[in-house]
C-alpha cells in the first residue's frame, strides 16, 4: 500500500492520523461539541490544510500547539470562536 503522507522519504501517515485525532479531541473538549462536529470544523480549516503539507513539519508539533493555531485562525477569520465554546457551527448537512 502506498503511503499517504511522507517526510524525508518515510511514511508518516499514522503520525498525521494521530495528530488529526488529537486535535479533533482537543476541539471537542474546548468547544464542548461532538466528535463529528469537531472533525467537520477542523477539516474545513486552513490549519488542517497546513497539517497535510508534511514538508513544513507542522505535524511534529504538539496537539495543543496545532489546536491553538486553529483557534488563532478562527479568531482572525471572523472572531466567532473562543476557547470556552463560542464557536459558530455550520448548518447540518441535510440528507436528500
Amino acid at each position: 500500500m502506498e503511503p499517504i503522507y511522507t517526510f524525508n522519504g518515510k511514511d508518516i501517515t499514522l503520525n498525521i492520523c494521530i495528530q488529526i485525532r488529537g486535535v479533533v479531541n482537543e476541539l471537542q473538549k474546548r468547544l464542548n461539541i461532538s466528535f463529528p462536529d469537531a472533525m467537520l470544523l477542523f477539516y474545513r480549516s486552513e490549519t488542517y490544510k497546513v497539517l497535510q503539507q508534511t514538508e513544513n513539519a507542522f505535524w511534529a508539533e504538539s496537539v495543543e500547539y496545532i489546536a491553538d493555531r486553529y483557534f488563532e485562525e478562527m479568531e482572525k477569520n471572523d472572531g466567532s470562536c473562543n476557547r470556552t465554546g463560542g464557536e459558530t457551527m455550520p448548518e447540518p448537512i441535510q440528507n436528500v
Side-chain angles (χ1 to χ4, degrees):
M1 184 161 83
E2 200 65 29
I4 298 170
Y5 300 106
T6 60
F7 183 75
N8 289 338
K10 298 187 183 200
D11 184 1
I12 60 164
T13 303
L14 185 58
N15 303 70
I16 299 287
C17 292
I18 289 169
Q19 290 296 70
I20 291 168
R21 186 205 59 212
V23 172
V24 170
N25 285 342
E26 188 68 19
L27 297 183
Q28 186 180 8
K29 182 173 72 174
R30 292 189 196 183
L31 297 172
N32 195 28
I33 59 177
S34 70
F35 187 86
D37 286 343
M39 186 176 297
L40 182 62
L41 288 175
F42 188 53
Y43 282 172
R44 291 180 171 173
S45 72
E46 287 300 314
T47 306
Y48 173 71
K49 291 177 186 168
V50 171
L51 182 62
Q52 292 182 300
Q53 299 165 3
T54 60
E55 67 278 354
N56 63 26
F58 187 51
W59 57 271
E61 297 290 349
S62 71
V63 164
E64 293 80 10
Y65 180 86
I66 298 168
D68 285 344
R69 300 302 71 80
Y70 169 84
F71 284 103
E72 287 175 5
E73 174 192 343
M74 294 301 108
E75 289 170 1
K76 179 181 171 190
N77 285 344
D78 62 14
S80 68
C81 178
N82 65 47
R83 292 170 194 259
T84 59
E87 182 78 19
T88 303
M89 295 297 297
E91 291 298 317
I93 299 171
Q94 300 295 322
N95 290 335
V96 180

